[in-house]
Amino acid sequence: MSRRVPFDAVTDADWSNWRWQQSHRLRGLGELDHVFGLTDGERDTFVRSAETFLVSVTPYYASLSEHGNPNCPIRLQSIPQAGELLTYPFELADPLAEESHMPVPGITHRYPDRVLFYVTHNCPVYCRHCTRKRKVANPESASTKDEIAGGLDWIAANPEVRDVLVSGGDPLTLSDDRLGEILLRLRAIPHVEVIRLGTRNPVTLPQRITPELCAILRQVRPLYLHTHFNHPRECTPEAAQALRMLADAGCNLGNQMVLLRGINDDPQTVLELNRWLLKQGCRPYYIFQADMALGITHLRTPLSKGLEIIKFLRGRISGMGVPQFAIDLPGGGGKITLAPEYLVAREGSELVFRNGKGEDYRFYDVEP
Ligand SMILES: *Cc1c(COP(=O)(O)O)cnc(C)c1O
Ligand code: SF4
């Protein structure tokens, strides 16, 4: 395998070892500059934003970037840009009011039947667009053993919870043993019918998907695994192999893309991404409108962009490749989905629909 400078001297054994990747994450200005070739503005922003939200990039993910290209989608997701320092009055530290819907620490209970369960606040790469910046990467907010035990007890005591989404941070940051304990405990709760795992490791640290981890996941299958690919540049042989191993372990794979300005706000890019995902057995589940989180307004797109992308996909890829376009409403309103408008006229029971090619078709509705 030929890797680019400065990773060309790393042995294959180290490179494919997730612990090596984790312990060699790029965090300092000097090493980031060496790999990415930072601009003056990025160096300045790095220094000024260091307090707000840590920078951390696995060597693997950094190696996917294009050195010196300020518009590289890998770079824009991992290196702070000047916009991160700007704050607006409408931005929220906790945009989804996750803290105020917590019956116990570490659980967000917003819908009657399902919960989010945070088991760690660490991730291999800190995505610049993260909605949970207030917690993620903050060592003082780490989930403790007691907190996780308390969360499991709460789920066991609340039979209306049928669906548990294990999240973070990134749950695969935990050791196999720790994660295995949590998943097996959940599986042993009779009313928990659905277990989901939200993880970006297939994208940022695919080496983490080992046969040992898969053996644990296989014990709790079926498991729904939501991952977070945002751009075709992330679609590598390593990522494909990680997805294949997860599918073989009984994971039902779904992707939650976040729509980001200058990164993937382009229909052709999303089409290419979704084609690759389907080929790997991973269904595009959601495209999320970026939240009103602190310091990410420069990455947000107008709502019309998401609708344009959904409309473009329909007809060019199977329905399985057309995700739902969702907004998670600020203040804890929950998720809603938006769809393009195909109905262009209505006269009584006669409806006129316009398809993707711009052609009109009449449809006669019946009385309710
Ligand atoms: C997103 C979310 C879920 C899961 O929602 P689905 O639409 O079922 O994927 C559950 N709980 C909370 C609090 C959420 O934000
Ligand atoms: S992997 Fe998820 S939780 Fe972690 S920084 Fe990225 S978006 Fe945030």
Side-chain angles (χ1 to χ4, degrees):
M1 196 194 336
S2 63
R3 285 183 295 269
R4 70 175 175 78
V5 180
F7 304 117
D8 48 343
V10 181
T11 65
D12 284 353
D14 278 346
W15 190 258
S16 55
N17 179 338
W18 69 271
R19 289 194 175 81
W20 182 91
Q21 291 279 343
Q22 273 282 49
S23 59
H24 289 78
R25 285 179 294 168
L26 313 171
R27 295 160 162 260
L29 187 54
E31 47 186 5
L32 289 164
D33 196 11
H34 190 44
V35 175
F36 287 90
L38 302 181
T39 64
D40 291 343
E42 285 169 332
R43 271 185 232 112
D44 178 55
T45 304
F46 180 91
V47 174
R48 294 202 288 149
S49 69
E51 304 274 284
T52 331
F53 187 46
L54 288 179
V55 175
S56 162
V57 194
T58 54
Y60 163 79
Y61 195 65
S63 77
L64 306 182
S65 70
E66 189 188 341
H67 183 92
N69 175 3
N71 301 317
C72 170
I74 302 297
R75 174 198 201 95
L76 294 177
Q77 290 182 75
S78 33
I79 303 292
Q81 303 297 317
E84 228 174 275
L85 300 169
L86 302 174
T87 52
Y88 298 86
F90 54 80
E91 291 181 341
L92 303 162
D94 179 10
L96 310 178
E98 289 171 332
E99 306 291 326
S100 57
H101 288 83
M102 281 195 176
V104 289
I107 298 257
T108 297
H109 188 201
R110 174 166 306 140
Y111 304 104
D113 63 325
R114 56 211 133 129
V115 293
L116 277 181
F117 183 23
Y118 313 95
V119 297
T120 173
H121 296 308
N122 294 320
C123 309
V125 172
Y126 294 125
C127 315
R128 305 327 294 172
H129 55 275
C130 184
T131 277
R132 300 214 179 98
K133 281 185 185 180
R134 70 192 183 281
K135 288 260 175 183
V136 167
N138 176 357
E140 279 155 41
S141 76
S143 318
T144 63
K145 266 194 134 116
D146 284 352
E147 194 174 301
I148 293 174
L152 288 165
D153 289 343
W154 184 88
I155 292 167
N158 284 271
E160 74 275 21
V161 177
R162 295 162 180 271
D163 178 347
V164 177
L165 178 42
V166 179
S167 179
D170 198 312
L172 294 197
T173 308
L174 300 179
S175 69
D176 288 356
D177 285 351
R178 198 76 198 93
L179 183 67
E181 260 174 56
I182 295 170
L183 294 176
L184 287 167
R185 250 219 68 210
L186 286 173
R187 187 48 92 209
I189 300 174
H191 58 262
V192 174
E193 297 168 359
V194 173
I195 303 178
R196 301 195 253 178
L197 200 52
T199 173
R200 208 179 184 204
N201 269 256
V203 185
T204 56
L205 183 57
Q207 296 81 3
R208 176 69 185 90
I209 315 305
T210 59
E212 295 75 27
L213 174 71
C214 289
I216 290 169
L217 300 182
R218 196 172 283 118
Q219 287 180 59
V220 287
R221 75 182 169 203
L223 200 68
Y224 292 83
L225 188 139
H226 297 328
T227 189
H228 177 175
F229 285 87
N230 279 338
H231 194 277
R233 222 178 156 93
E234 299 165 339
C235 303
T236 64
E238 291 92 333
Q241 191 192 332
L243 293 177
R244 165 59 54 91
M245 289 171 72
L246 289 166
D248 285 349
C251 294
N252 202 304
L253 305 173
N255 191 59
Q256 304 193 338
M257 187 193 108
V258 179
L259 190 50
L260 298 167
R261 183 186 291 264
I263 295 175
N264 57 14
D265 58 341
D266 164 60
Q268 195 64 45
T269 301
V270 180
L271 177 62
E272 199 184 317
L273 174 68
N274 288 6
R275 280 185 178 152
W276 183 86
L277 287 166
L278 279 190
K279 193 171 152 198
Q280 316 310 323
C282 180
R283 268 189 76 169
Y285 176 38
Y286 280 133
I287 289 182
F288 280 118
Q289 173 70 13
D291 290 323
M292 288 163 38
L294 285 177
I296 71 162
T297 297
H298 62 296
L299 292 171
R300 284 172 53 194
T301 47
L303 286 176
S304 57
K305 183 52 79 175
L307 293 170
E308 177 196 334
I309 290 172
I310 299 294
K311 200 161 184 175
F312 181 85
L313 293 176
R314 176 66 62 197
R316 288 183 174 81
I317 187 168
S318 94
M320 297 188 296
V322 184
Q324 300 180 66
F325 176 43
I327 313 180
D328 217 331
L329 295 175
K335 293 178 187 59
I336 55 140
T337 55
L338 296 179
E341 184 59 271
Y342 297 101
L343 180 64
V344 290
R346 178 203 295 270
E347 288 157 33
S349 63
E350 184 180 344
L351 310 177
V352 182
F353 290 106
R354 185 161 300 160
N355 71 9
K357 294 179 185 158
E359 302 156 341
D360 288 354
Y361 290 87
R362 275 157 217 285
F363 182 88
Y364 295 88
D365 205 5
V366 291
E367 295 299 321

